[in-house]
Amino acid sequence: MIMMVADILKALGIGYRLQLNSLGDQNCMPSYRENLVAFIDTCGDNICDDCQRRKSTNPIRVLDCKNEKCQHLYVKAPKLINQLCVGCQSDFNTLKSILDDHAISYEIDTNLVRGLDYYSKTAFEFVSDNIGSQSAIAGGGRYDRLIEFLDGKPTPAVGFAIGIERLLELIVMPQPVRNGYYLGAMDIESLPIILKTAEKYRQTDTAVVEYEAKTLKNHLKGADRIHARYCVVIGENERMSNSIWIKDLVEQKETTLSLNAIIKGQ
Ligand SMILES: [Zn+2]
Ligand SMILES: [Zn+2]
């Protein structure tokens, strides 16, 4: 699943850092939690009010406290990663070697924790440094005990979530390059001239003809839709003066050219 998210981000051209942690399981988490609470006690009143509250309600969550003073103190906190039971350690090693084999680099982040007890073992987050400071763009992991918590049969599970709005901020859509000609008539009578002009342009470039007579505004929209560089339009005025109206959609310049000059290639 981690490899799949990595593939998705790669396909979208989004750079990331992958952070990993293991949250242990029923064998190793409870004793770790006790050690952590004992450590938090040694911090006394130096931690924030939220952490004081978390100490009794949800001690693991102190680790991802955003308060700098707290984080400074928690550098010395015991790390679950150093206290995993044999099963959790072996699973975590397997995960790391699979990622190594697939050249997916990762960082171990011992502060990457989840607040709910049904989360277990692997937790991961894909973080981007390009929006705000260290924003998670995708995250997931195991929640092996969730179904049990919902009174179901024990059913190990894994999943992830992606922040679509955050991805949208990071995807850089390629800008289409404008080229070629779009040609359109403003009345049915001008269509034969359009066809003749298109034939001439096609000798050296691409030329797309709109066969329906339309207003100038609609032809400009059509030219824009196919990313044409030039929009050529002929209406009654042009027909009378034996000319064409042409707009360069890159330079945003419009001119009127003599039709004879175009057809004869002058
Ligand atoms: Zn705190
Ligand atoms: Zn364990």
Side-chain angles (χ1 to χ4, degrees), residues 47-51 54 62 65-67 70 74:
I47 53 175
C48 73
D49 290 346
D50 284 335
C51 285
R54 289 174 187 134
V62 305
C65 178
K66 300 288 175 270
N67 186 311
C70 292
Y74 299 155

Side-chain angles (χ1 to χ4, degrees), residues 61-158:
R61 285 301 302 276
V62 305
L63 295 173
D64 68 353
C65 178
K66 300 288 175 270
N67 186 311
E68 272 181 36
K69 206 174 150 201
C70 292
Q71 277 310 328
H72 189 70
L73 289 165
Y74 299 155
V75 171
K76 294 201 182 80
K79 314 278 185 250
L80 177 55
I81 207 93
N82 301 326
Q83 281 179 234
L84 294 173
C85 67
V86 175
C88 289
Q89 186 63 60
S90 141
D91 281 359
F92 198 54
N93 291 344
T94 305
L95 171 66
K96 287 190 288 183
S97 70
I98 291 172
L99 294 176
D100 289 338
D101 286 349
H102 288 84
I104 296 175
S105 53
Y106 52 83
E107 306 157 6
I108 308 294
D109 180 0
T110 54
N111 290 341
L112 175 59
V113 291
R114 308 279 182 229
L116 299 162
D117 282 340
Y118 51 75
Y119 288 107
S120 48
K121 297 191 180 177
T122 309
F124 64 87
E125 250 169 40
F126 287 80
V127 173
S128 167
D129 295 319
N130 299 328
I131 35 170
S133 60
Q134 289 209 4
S135 294
I137 44 178
R142 303 205 64 89
Y143 34 94
D144 287 346
R145 298 181 66 209
L146 175 63
I147 303 299
E148 276 172 80
F149 273 51
L150 298 171
D151 287 336
K153 284 184 197 161
T155 309
V158 63

Side-chain angles (χ1 to χ4, degrees), residues 10-27:
K10 193 178 167 193
L12 295 173
I14 296 174
Y16 62 82
R17 285 184 297 117
L18 169 61
Q19 300 181 328
L20 282 187
N21 195 17
S22 174
L23 306 175
D25 61 6
Q26 286 163 280
N27 295 320

Side-chain angles (χ1 to χ4, degrees), residues 155-218:
T155 309
V158 63
F160 69 90
I162 289 186
I164 296 297
E165 282 76 14
R166 288 183 180 178
L167 286 197
L168 290 177
E169 279 184 57
L170 292 165
I171 298 170
V172 182
M173 294 300 284
Q175 288 297 314
V177 180
R178 289 189 176 280
N179 57 42
Y181 290 82
Y182 167 103
L183 300 99
M186 286 172 70
D187 52 19
I188 267 307
E189 294 82 356
S190 303
L191 198 55
I193 314 172
I194 281 292
L195 293 174
K196 197 175 279 181
T197 313
E199 202 178 353
K200 190 69 199 174
Y201 280 133
R202 276 195 195 113
Q203 290 171 5
T204 53
D205 212 326
T206 56
V208 173
V209 172
E210 168 56 62
Y211 291 93
E212 209 177 308
K214 288 181 177 178
T215 62
L216 176 61
K217 197 178 152 199
N218 282 331

